[in-house]
Amino acid sequence: MNTPPPEDDQAKTAPVEESNSHSRISIQVENIMPQIERTFLQINSIIGKYKILSEIDRGGMAVVYKACQLDLDRDVALKVLPANITINRSFVDRFLAEAHSVAHLTHPNIVNIHEVGMEDNIYFLAMDYIAGKNLYYYLHAEKPKLIDVLEIVARLADALSYAHGQKILHRDLKLNNVIMKDRLTPVLIDFGLAKALESTDGVGITQPGEIMGSPAYMAPERLLGEGNDSRSDICSLGIMLYEMVTFKNPYLDPRSIHQTTINVLESDPIRPRKIVPWLPVEIEAITLKAMHPDREKRYQTMDEFKDDIRRYQRGDPVVARPPSFFGRCFFLVRKHWSWVVIGLLVALFSSLFGVSVYLQNQKELPSWRLVYEERFESDSLPPDYEIVKANGKTKNIWKVDSHALYYSGSPMSSLKLDRPFTRDIRVEFDISVSEKNFYGAGFFIGGTSAENGYRFYINQNGTPACGIEYPHGTFLYTDIKDTDIPSALQYHVVIEKRDHQLTFFINNILVATIADLMAPLGKDHQNIGFFGNGSAARFDNLKVFRLAIPQVPSPTLVADRFYEHGDFETAFEEYKALLVDLPNTDFVTIIRLRMADCQLRRNRLSEANAILSSIPISSQNRFNTVAIGYFFKGVLSADSNIVNASRDAFARLSICAPASIQNRAAFDFQFNRTAAIFSRGELDSAHENLLYLNAHYPAYAKKTGKLFIDVARSFAKSDGNERAVLMLRQVDSINTTNAYVVALARKEIAQVYLSLQEKSLAIDALNRAVALSERSEAVWQSWLILATIYEYDQSVSDALTIYRTMARDCPGNLPERYLAQLHIIELAALGFCNDDRNELLATIVDGPHPFPLPRIIGQLYRGDITDKHFIERYKALALDNPNYLWYLAYKAISLGNHKLAREYLYELLDKIPPQSWLYTRTDRLIKDLSKRRL
């Protein structure tokens, strides 16, 4: 028989006070192991009729040996008691009486005691030798399934119930006192030992008020000295069940036996399902009932405990947790199973009918089919690719290199796949960094080049901005913050065009969605391809999927194909012919709407109006014709410059179908026209349109807010500062739920105030921006501007605090982190700090970020590139400003060439507006340099 692992499993107590309304009880918990003299027997020595073969283990109160019973030639486990215990005659008498009582127990799950003897004043117990692991080791080594755990505990409960019937309590139940004979057969050992070690006459080995046993498995009443009965064993077995299902003792504190005792008395154990979420609620209820601190609320007999486990095993409701409504339903079903079967058969046949209808409908739906794949494994460009718009340069701007398509960098160029794609398509490809900088690359669809197609940008203009641009448009549509896409060396891009809606995914993140029911069609709008307008990039694993014709095609298929190819005249005639072939069907209304669409695209507005007027827009059908009708009415009125009628139609659409693609397309149509008005310089009209859009389409507040701010910037550039501030305050007040737009507006208000030399108002606006809880890129930009104001006001320590905080906390996928580090380097050049310049430059120049501007400035400061090369690369970024002179001046300062620095700064003053914040800062820097006589 294997005995428990070495551990302090017998303990007595040190003072712990328990208070209640009736009494204060003092309990001692203390390790008495050092006080007990062990008995040591030599190997091969003989005691009684037993020959010692080996020592198995040393437990809390005895040494266990494997021995051979000489007369019967069998192996037994011999438990030998310490010599100093045997001195107490009263204890020995009680121990012998108890041992003889336990020896009469006969149960397959209780160890058999063969003999209780004494020789040379050494008392010993001979019992079965069981060659198995104790339950603690078995639990952690084998990790039995829940069904096995329940069977083990049920068998233990059965054994204890038998013992209780013989008036024997175990009193020291724990995992270490159970030996696993096989996978499901536990055997209890050390039965009754704890009782034998307790004395009530004051002459035992313990003193009155001392409690023997393992506190982590004891019932509270035993620790409190309030007496114990069979319910104490139930509590201990419940704690064992808790540990077996959670692998955690609910009370044990390995650091201190005192704390373990306090936990048993005072703590409320964690519910098992919080540790093991999949644990059935019935098992949790059984466990907690068995180990309840109040013995009146436990199972009152071990048989009740065992029976509840057996109920769960049979699938019956358990006493510890009465069945819920669904549980009662389950048992009702079992009782009336015949009627249930009949009902299920009826439901089955109904389901089969429904599935057949569903499958038929599925045949009417298209599916994605792979129609083109290119891995660029050849040594040259595939023959169906054509370089478009490369400013006369074609050599090596696009090539295949190392099994990938390689774009060498500026100038702006497109690589067109010269194949027509007229249906809805899905495009997938990988794009990776060819050098540390990565920006301005992407994909276009629906055009012969990026300029007249929809452009899908990744890191546009050297910033982390990603999104979609319309053909010939300049506004970047995006539905995410710039910080949402982490910087990476490779991106997987998915672009989908379906039902006039375009979606853009980067690394499974939805970047942007636009809907364009008036997308340009025809042979000049059928191609797809890559484009680049910035850093080098590599493209690979291009896949193109087409939405295949459904198994049951629409009767309008032929006319739809003419429409998709841009042959609107032929499509119109085909649709017209279908009206004769399909009278009095659901298709009539949709056919007329498509006829109106054809006339709109042919700019035959009066004919389109006549068709739309003949369609009764009063009810919905499976084609959502009401939404389509209102959309086309809105477009027709807009094309006819009837603004109120257009807005009225779109408003009706928004009311009847707010979640439809047509409503989204209505917003995008009006917004795109507003962006076009803005690009033509009609700022007042753009402002009025934006107010309308913001009021009627609050779901798209981020887009309208960004364009609002662009319009305000234009007012500020044309000396309309008061108008600009008014607009920006409007943005602030009407976008209270969009922190991104609010931060952007407050930052722009500060920029206007700085141009007006109103620093205090600018600081107030910036403080309101940085106070927002959402840390968007506009918030970090506001921090950067705020620091430059502190720097201007000679509060260099405050400025440095902000710069250093940004260098540490600003996300690495924002350029502001690295621009803040450049400011620290500039202050170090002026002698205001001694931060490690080389370390900062290494982060900026050699770091994994994709931003070209801070990198080329860092390269200039470190001397990696010449001034001329820096100016060329700065201008190549399409930054239409002379700010490069500022950085050249700081480089000169760091080299001690202060005369050259002042020349650069004076040149900068000549090229920038006097009201700009940079002009003010430059003028202050010149004065500071003069004061220092640099």
Side-chain angles (χ1 to χ4, degrees), residues 780-797:
W780 292 110
Q781 292 164 3
S782 299
W783 274 117
L784 200 61
I785 299 170
L786 192 60
T788 63
I789 297 176
Y790 289 147
E791 186 180 336
Y792 175 85
D793 288 339
Q794 304 298 308
S795 299
V796 179
S797 61

mmCIF file with all atom_site columns, all heavy atoms in Angstrom, residues 780-797:
data_model
loop_
_atom_site.group_PDB
_atom_site.id
_atom_site.type_symbol
_atom_site.label_atom_id
_atom_site.label_alt_id
_atom_site.label_comp_id
_atom_site.label_asym_id
_atom_site.label_entity_id
_atom_site.label_seq_id
_atom_site.pdbx_PDB_ins_code
_atom_site.Cartn_x
_atom_site.Cartn_y
_atom_site.Cartn_z
_atom_site.occupancy
_atom_site.B_iso_or_equiv
_atom_site.pdbx_formal_charge
_atom_site.auth_seq_id
_atom_site.auth_comp_id
_atom_site.auth_asym_id
_atom_site.auth_atom_id
_atom_site.pdbx_PDB_model_num
ATOM 1   N N   . TRP A 1 780 ? -2.825 63.286 -30.208 1.00 0.00 ? 780 TRP A N   1
ATOM 2   C CA  . TRP A 1 780 ? -1.357 63.324 -30.147 1.00 0.00 ? 780 TRP A CA  1
ATOM 3   C C   . TRP A 1 780 ? -0.805 64.509 -30.918 1.00 0.00 ? 780 TRP A C   1
ATOM 4   O O   . TRP A 1 780 ? 0.203  65.116 -30.511 1.00 0.00 ? 780 TRP A O   1
ATOM 5   C CB  . TRP A 1 780 ? -0.787 62.013 -30.692 1.00 0.00 ? 780 TRP A CB  1
ATOM 6   C CG  . TRP A 1 780 ? -1.087 60.845 -29.824 1.00 0.00 ? 780 TRP A CG  1
ATOM 7   C CD1 . TRP A 1 780 ? -1.931 59.816 -30.086 1.00 0.00 ? 780 TRP A CD1 1
ATOM 8   C CD2 . TRP A 1 780 ? -0.554 60.583 -28.519 1.00 0.00 ? 780 TRP A CD2 1
ATOM 9   N NE1 . TRP A 1 780 ? -1.979 58.929 -29.047 1.00 0.00 ? 780 TRP A NE1 1
ATOM 10  C CE2 . TRP A 1 780 ? -1.126 59.367 -28.061 1.00 0.00 ? 780 TRP A CE2 1
ATOM 11  C CE3 . TRP A 1 780 ? 0.348  61.253 -27.691 1.00 0.00 ? 780 TRP A CE3 1
ATOM 12  C CZ2 . TRP A 1 780 ? -0.817 58.823 -26.826 1.00 0.00 ? 780 TRP A CZ2 1
ATOM 13  C CZ3 . TRP A 1 780 ? 0.652  60.696 -26.461 1.00 0.00 ? 780 TRP A CZ3 1
ATOM 14  C CH2 . TRP A 1 780 ? 0.084  59.506 -26.027 1.00 0.00 ? 780 TRP A CH2 1
ATOM 15  N N   . GLN A 1 781 ? -1.437 64.883 -32.025 1.00 0.00 ? 781 GLN A N   1
ATOM 16  C CA  . GLN A 1 781 ? -1.022 66.090 -32.755 1.00 0.00 ? 781 GLN A CA  1
ATOM 17  C C   . GLN A 1 781 ? -1.221 67.336 -31.896 1.00 0.00 ? 781 GLN A C   1
ATOM 18  O O   . GLN A 1 781 ? -0.404 68.260 -31.918 1.00 0.00 ? 781 GLN A O   1
ATOM 19  C CB  . GLN A 1 781 ? -1.808 66.203 -34.059 1.00 0.00 ? 781 GLN A CB  1
ATOM 20  C CG  . GLN A 1 781 ? -1.467 65.138 -35.086 1.00 0.00 ? 781 GLN A CG  1
ATOM 21  C CD  . GLN A 1 781 ? -2.493 65.022 -36.190 1.00 0.00 ? 781 GLN A CD  1
ATOM 22  O OE1 . GLN A 1 781 ? -3.467 65.784 -36.229 1.00 0.00 ? 781 GLN A OE1 1
ATOM 23  N NE2 . GLN A 1 781 ? -2.295 64.074 -37.094 1.00 0.00 ? 781 GLN A NE2 1
ATOM 24  N N   . SER A 1 782 ? -2.306 67.346 -31.115 1.00 0.00 ? 782 SER A N   1
ATOM 25  C CA  . SER A 1 782 ? -2.564 68.478 -30.225 1.00 0.00 ? 782 SER A CA  1
ATOM 26  C C   . SER A 1 782 ? -1.485 68.579 -29.151 1.00 0.00 ? 782 SER A C   1
ATOM 27  O O   . SER A 1 782 ? -1.028 69.670 -28.798 1.00 0.00 ? 782 SER A O   1
ATOM 28  C CB  . SER A 1 782 ? -3.948 68.336 -29.586 1.00 0.00 ? 782 SER A CB  1
ATOM 29  O OG  . SER A 1 782 ? -4.957 68.333 -30.567 1.00 0.00 ? 782 SER A OG  1
ATOM 30  N N   . TRP A 1 783 ? -1.085 67.437 -28.596 1.00 0.00 ? 783 TRP A N   1
ATOM 31  C CA  . TRP A 1 783 ? 0.002  67.442 -27.619 1.00 0.00 ? 783 TRP A CA  1
ATOM 32  C C   . TRP A 1 783 ? 1.271  68.041 -28.232 1.00 0.00 ? 783 TRP A C   1
ATOM 33  O O   . TRP A 1 783 ? 1.983  68.811 -27.586 1.00 0.00 ? 783 TRP A O   1
ATOM 34  C CB  . TRP A 1 783 ? 0.296  66.011 -27.155 1.00 0.00 ? 783 TRP A CB  1
ATOM 35  C CG  . TRP A 1 783 ? -0.550 65.525 -26.030 1.00 0.00 ? 783 TRP A CG  1
ATOM 36  C CD1 . TRP A 1 783 ? -1.420 64.488 -26.052 1.00 0.00 ? 783 TRP A CD1 1
ATOM 37  C CD2 . TRP A 1 783 ? -0.592 66.037 -24.687 1.00 0.00 ? 783 TRP A CD2 1
ATOM 38  N NE1 . TRP A 1 783 ? -2.022 64.320 -24.825 1.00 0.00 ? 783 TRP A NE1 1
ATOM 39  C CE2 . TRP A 1 783 ? -1.521 65.258 -23.954 1.00 0.00 ? 783 TRP A CE2 1
ATOM 40  C CE3 . TRP A 1 783 ? 0.054  67.082 -24.042 1.00 0.00 ? 783 TRP A CE3 1
ATOM 41  C CZ2 . TRP A 1 783 ? -1.808 65.496 -22.621 1.00 0.00 ? 783 TRP A CZ2 1
ATOM 42  C CZ3 . TRP A 1 783 ? -0.233 67.316 -22.693 1.00 0.00 ? 783 TRP A CZ3 1
ATOM 43  C CH2 . TRP A 1 783 ? -1.154 66.534 -21.996 1.00 0.00 ? 783 TRP A CH2 1
ATOM 44  N N   . LEU A 1 784 ? 1.549  67.680 -29.476 1.00 0.00 ? 784 LEU A N   1
ATOM 45  C CA  . LEU A 1 784 ? 2.773  68.145 -30.138 1.00 0.00 ? 784 LEU A CA  1
ATOM 46  C C   . LEU A 1 784 ? 2.745  69.661 -30.310 1.00 0.00 ? 784 LEU A C   1
ATOM 47  O O   . LEU A 1 784 ? 3.750  70.354 -30.053 1.00 0.00 ? 784 LEU A O   1
ATOM 48  C CB  . LEU A 1 784 ? 2.909  67.447 -31.495 1.00 0.00 ? 784 LEU A CB  1
ATOM 49  C CG  . LEU A 1 784 ? 4.303  67.430 -32.120 1.00 0.00 ? 784 LEU A CG  1
ATOM 50  C CD1 . LEU A 1 784 ? 5.290  66.692 -31.234 1.00 0.00 ? 784 LEU A CD1 1
ATOM 51  C CD2 . LEU A 1 784 ? 4.249  66.772 -33.492 1.00 0.00 ? 784 LEU A CD2 1
ATOM 52  N N   . ILE A 1 785 ? 1.602  70.191 -30.738 1.00 0.00 ? 785 ILE A N   1
ATOM 53  C CA  . ILE A 1 785 ? 1.487  71.646 -30.908 1.00 0.00 ? 785 ILE A CA  1
ATOM 54  C C   . ILE A 1 785 ? 1.601  72.346 -29.561 1.00 0.00 ? 785 ILE A C   1
ATOM 55  O O   . ILE A 1 785 ? 2.251  73.390 -29.429 1.00 0.00 ? 785 ILE A O   1
ATOM 56  C CB  . ILE A 1 785 ? 0.151  71.997 -31.598 1.00 0.00 ? 785 ILE A CB  1
ATOM 57  C CG1 . ILE A 1 785 ? 0.086  71.362 -32.988 1.00 0.00 ? 785 ILE A CG1 1
ATOM 58  C CG2 . ILE A 1 785 ? -0.018 73.507 -31.700 1.00 0.00 ? 785 ILE A CG2 1
ATOM 59  C CD1 . ILE A 1 785 ? -1.284 71.456 -33.632 1.00 0.00 ? 785 ILE A CD1 1
ATOM 60  N N   . LEU A 1 786 ? 0.961  71.772 -28.535 1.00 0.00 ? 786 LEU A N   1
ATOM 61  C CA  . LEU A 1 786 ? 1.007  72.364 -27.203 1.00 0.00 ? 786 LEU A CA  1
ATOM 62  C C   . LEU A 1 786 ? 2.449  72.452 -26.705 1.00 0.00 ? 786 LEU A C   1
ATOM 63  O O   . LEU A 1 786 ? 2.863  73.460 -26.103 1.00 0.00 ? 786 LEU A O   1
ATOM 64  C CB  . LEU A 1 786 ? 0.160  71.527 -26.243 1.00 0.00 ? 786 LEU A CB  1
ATOM 65  C CG  . LEU A 1 786 ? -0.147 72.125 -24.862 1.00 0.00 ? 786 LEU A CG  1
ATOM 66  C CD1 . LEU A 1 786 ? -0.898 73.439 -24.988 1.00 0.00 ? 786 LEU A CD1 1
ATOM 67  C CD2 . LEU A 1 786 ? -0.959 71.133 -24.038 1.00 0.00 ? 786 LEU A CD2 1
ATOM 68  N N   . ALA A 1 787 ? 3.229  71.426 -26.976 1.00 0.00 ? 787 ALA A N   1
ATOM 69  C CA  . ALA A 1 787 ? 4.626  71.436 -26.550 1.00 0.00 ? 787 ALA A CA  1
ATOM 70  C C   . ALA A 1 787 ? 5.423  72.522 -27.272 1.00 0.00 ? 787 ALA A C   1
ATOM 71  O O   . ALA A 1 787 ? 6.296  73.169 -26.672 1.00 0.00 ? 787 ALA A O   1
ATOM 72  C CB  . ALA A 1 787 ? 5.245  70.066 -26.800 1.00 0.00 ? 787 ALA A CB  1
ATOM 73  N N   . THR A 1 788 ? 5.123  72.762 -28.567 1.00 0.00 ? 788 THR A N   1
ATOM 74  C CA  . THR A 1 788 ? 5.847  73.823 -29.283 1.00 0.00 ? 788 THR A CA  1
ATOM 75  C C   . THR A 1 788 ? 5.517  75.200 -28.715 1.00 0.00 ? 788 THR A C   1
ATOM 76  O O   . THR A 1 788 ? 6.362  76.102 -28.717 1.00 0.00 ? 788 THR A O   1
ATOM 77  C CB  . THR A 1 788 ? 5.513  73.789 -30.783 1.00 0.00 ? 788 THR A CB  1
ATOM 78  O OG1 . THR A 1 788 ? 4.115  74.063 -30.981 1.00 0.00 ? 788 THR A OG1 1
ATOM 79  C CG2 . THR A 1 788 ? 5.860  72.444 -31.399 1.00 0.00 ? 788 THR A CG2 1
ATOM 80  N N   . ILE A 1 789 ? 4.284  75.365 -28.189 1.00 0.00 ? 789 ILE A N   1
ATOM 81  C CA  . ILE A 1 789 ? 3.931  76.641 -27.558 1.00 0.00 ? 789 ILE A CA  1
ATOM 82  C C   . ILE A 1 789 ? 4.730  76.823 -26.270 1.00 0.00 ? 789 ILE A C   1
ATOM 83  O O   . ILE A 1 789 ? 5.273  77.902 -25.989 1.00 0.00 ? 789 ILE A O   1
ATOM 84  C CB  . ILE A 1 789 ? 2.420  76.702 -27.278 1.00 0.00 ? 789 ILE A CB  1
ATOM 85  C CG1 . ILE A 1 789 ? 1.622  76.645 -28.592 1.00 0.00 ? 789 ILE A CG1 1
ATOM 86  C CG2 . ILE A 1 789 ? 2.063  77.969 -26.510 1.00 0.00 ? 789 ILE A CG2 1
ATOM 87  C CD1 . ILE A 1 789 ? 0.121  76.592 -28.404 1.00 0.00 ? 789 ILE A CD1 1
ATOM 88  N N   . TYR A 1 790 ? 4.814  75.741 -25.448 1.00 0.00 ? 790 TYR A N   1
ATOM 89  C CA  . TYR A 1 790 ? 5.623  75.826 -24.224 1.00 0.00 ? 790 TYR A CA  1
ATOM 90  C C   . TYR A 1 790 ? 7.086  76.127 -24.561 1.00 0.00 ? 790 TYR A C   1
ATOM 91  O O   . TYR A 1 790 ? 7.754  76.904 -23.884 1.00 0.00 ? 790 TYR A O   1
ATOM 92  C CB  . TYR A 1 790 ? 5.537  74.511 -23.446 1.00 0.00 ? 790 TYR A CB  1
ATOM 93  C CG  . TYR A 1 790 ? 4.195  74.273 -22.802 1.00 0.00 ? 790 TYR A CG  1
ATOM 94  C CD1 . TYR A 1 790 ? 3.680  72.982 -22.665 1.00 0.00 ? 790 TYR A CD1 1
ATOM 95  C CD2 . TYR A 1 790 ? 3.426  75.320 -22.319 1.00 0.00 ? 790 TYR A CD2 1
ATOM 96  C CE1 . TYR A 1 790 ? 2.454  72.751 -22.074 1.00 0.00 ? 790 TYR A CE1 1
ATOM 97  C CE2 . TYR A 1 790 ? 2.188  75.099 -21.721 1.00 0.00 ? 790 TYR A CE2 1
ATOM 98  C CZ  . TYR A 1 790 ? 1.710  73.821 -21.617 1.00 0.00 ? 790 TYR A CZ  1
ATOM 99  O OH  . TYR A 1 790 ? 0.492  73.597 -21.026 1.00 0.00 ? 790 TYR A OH  1
ATOM 100 N N   . GLU A 1 791 ? 7.547  75.508 -25.628 1.00 0.00 ? 791 GLU A N   1
ATOM 101 C CA  . GLU A 1 791 ? 8.930  75.746 -26.050 1.00 0.00 ? 791 GLU A CA  1
ATOM 102 C C   . GLU A 1 791 ? 9.115  77.206 -26.458 1.00 0.00 ? 791 GLU A C   1
ATOM 103 O O   . GLU A 1 791 ? 10.110 77.847 -26.103 1.00 0.00 ? 791 GLU A O   1
ATOM 104 C CB  . GLU A 1 791 ? 9.268  74.806 -27.210 1.00 0.00 ? 791 GLU A CB  1
ATOM 105 C CG  . GLU A 1 791 ? 10.716 74.847 -27.649 1.00 0.00 ? 791 GLU A CG  1
ATOM 106 C CD  . GLU A 1 791 ? 10.977 73.889 -28.808 1.00 0.00 ? 791 GLU A CD  1
ATOM 107 O OE1 . GLU A 1 791 ? 10.211 72.915 -28.971 1.00 0.00 ? 791 GLU A OE1 1
ATOM 108 O OE2 . GLU A 1 791 ? 11.947 74.111 -29.536 1.00 0.00 ? 791 GLU A OE2 1
ATOM 109 N N   . TYR A 1 792 ? 8.137  77.743 -27.164 1.00 0.00 ? 792 TYR A N   1
ATOM 110 C CA  . TYR A 1 792 ? 8.202  79.147 -27.582 1.00 0.00 ? 792 TYR A CA  1
ATOM 111 C C   . TYR A 1 792 ? 8.195  80.076 -26.374 1.00 0.00 ? 792 TYR A C   1
ATOM 112 O O   . TYR A 1 792 ? 8.897  81.104 -26.353 1.00 0.00 ? 792 TYR A O   1
ATOM 113 C CB  . TYR A 1 792 ? 6.995  79.446 -28.487 1.00 0.00 ? 792 TYR A CB  1
ATOM 114 C CG  . TYR A 1 792 ? 6.884  80.909 -28.897 1.00 0.00 ? 792 TYR A CG  1
ATOM 115 C CD1 . TYR A 1 792 ? 7.579  81.398 -29.995 1.00 0.00 ? 792 TYR A CD1 1
ATOM 116 C CD2 . TYR A 1 792 ? 6.069  81.786 -28.187 1.00 0.00 ? 792 TYR A CD2 1
ATOM 117 C CE1 . TYR A 1 792 ? 7.475  82.732 -30.377 1.00 0.00 ? 792 TYR A CE1 1
ATOM 118 C CE2 . TYR A 1 792 ? 5.956  83.122 -28.549 1.00 0.00 ? 792 TYR A CE2 1
ATOM 119 C CZ  . TYR A 1 792 ? 6.661  83.582 -29.649 1.00 0.00 ? 792 TYR A CZ  1
ATOM 120 O OH  . TYR A 1 792 ? 6.569  84.906 -30.015 1.00 0.00 ? 792 TYR A OH  1
ATOM 121 N N   . ASP A 1 793 ? 7.406  79.705 -25.360 1.00 0.00 ? 793 ASP A N   1
ATOM 122 C CA  . ASP A 1 793 ? 7.310  80.539 -24.159 1.00 0.00 ? 793 ASP A CA  1
ATOM 123 C C   . ASP A 1 793 ? 8.462  80.312 -23.186 1.00 0.00 ? 793 ASP A C   1
ATOM 124 O O   . ASP A 1 793 ? 8.401  80.757 -22.025 1.00 0.00 ? 793 ASP A O   1
ATOM 125 C CB  . ASP A 1 793 ? 5.977  80.260 -23.443 1.00 0.00 ? 793 ASP A CB  1
ATOM 126 C CG  . ASP A 1 793 ? 4.786  80.822 -24.205 1.00 0.00 ? 793 ASP A CG  1
ATOM 127 O OD1 . ASP A 1 793 ? 4.990  81.737 -25.026 1.00 0.00 ? 793 ASP A OD1 1
ATOM 128 O OD2 . ASP A 1 793 ? 3.673  80.335 -23.995 1.00 0.00 ? 793 ASP A OD2 1
ATOM 129 N N   . GLN A 1 794 ? 9.494  79.609 -23.627 1.00 0.00 ? 794 GLN A N   1
ATOM 130 C CA  . GLN A 1 794 ? 10.667 79.327 -22.807 1.00 0.00 ? 794 GLN A CA  1
ATOM 131 C C   . GLN A 1 794 ? 10.372 78.383 -21.637 1.00 0.00 ? 794 GLN A C   1
ATOM 132 O O   . GLN A 1 794 ? 11.177 78.285 -20.704 1.00 0.00 ? 794 GLN A O   1
ATOM 133 C CB  . GLN A 1 794 ? 11.283 80.629 -22.252 1.00 0.00 ? 794 GLN A CB  1
ATOM 134 C CG  . GLN A 1 794 ? 11.656 81.650 -23.324 1.00 0.00 ? 794 GLN A CG  1
ATOM 135 C CD  . GLN A 1 794 ? 12.721 81.130 -24.284 1.00 0.00 ? 794 GLN A CD  1
ATOM 136 O OE1 . GLN A 1 794 ? 13.754 80.674 -23.842 1.00 0.00 ? 794 GLN A OE1 1
ATOM 137 N NE2 . GLN A 1 794 ? 12.464 81.206 -25.576 1.00 0.00 ? 794 GLN A NE2 1
ATOM 138 N N   . SER A 1 795 ? 9.238  77.729 -21.654 1.00 0.00 ? 795 SER A N   1
ATOM 139 C CA  . SER A 1 795 ? 8.941  76.703 -20.643 1.00 0.00 ? 795 SER A CA  1
ATOM 140 C C   . SER A 1 795 ? 9.451  75.364 -21.173 1.00 0.00 ? 795 SER A C   1
ATOM 141 O O   . SER A 1 795 ? 8.689  74.417 -21.456 1.00 0.00 ? 795 SER A O   1
ATOM 142 C CB  . SER A 1 795 ? 7.439  76.635 -20.369 1.00 0.00 ? 795 SER A CB  1
ATOM 143 O OG  . SER A 1 795 ? 6.952  77.856 -19.877 1.00 0.00 ? 795 SER A OG  1
ATOM 144 N N   . VAL A 1 796 ? 10.778 75.307 -21.291 1.00 0.00 ? 796 VAL A N   1
ATOM 145 C CA  . VAL A 1 796 ? 11.386 74.161 -21.967 1.00 0.00 ? 796 VAL A CA  1
ATOM 146 C C   . VAL A 1 796 ? 11.160 72.874 -21.189 1.00 0.00 ? 796 VAL A C   1
ATOM 147 O O   . VAL A 1 796 ? 10.962 71.801 -21.778 1.00 0.00 ? 796 VAL A O   1
ATOM 148 C CB  . VAL A 1 796 ? 12.894 74.420 -22.180 1.00 0.00 ? 796 VAL A CB  1
ATOM 149 C CG1 . VAL A 1 796 ? 13.542 73.209 -22.857 1.00 0.00 ? 796 VAL A CG1 1
ATOM 150 C CG2 . VAL A 1 796 ? 13.099 75.659 -23.040 1.00 0.00 ? 796 VAL A CG2 1
ATOM 151 N N   . SER A 1 797 ? 11.169 72.941 -19.864 1.00 0.00 ? 797 SER A N   1
ATOM 152 C CA  . SER A 1 797 ? 10.974 71.721 -19.078 1.00 0.00 ? 797 SER A CA  1
ATOM 153 C C   . SER A 1 797 ? 9.589  71.116 -19.338 1.00 0.00 ? 797 SER A C   1
ATOM 154 O O   . SER A 1 797 ? 9.443  69.894 -19.436 1.00 0.00 ? 797 SER A O   1
ATOM 155 C CB  . SER A 1 797 ? 11.150 72.018 -17.591 1.00 0.00 ? 797 SER A CB  1
ATOM 156 O OG  . SER A 1 797 ? 10.179 72.970 -17.157 1.00 0.00 ? 797 SER A OG  1
#
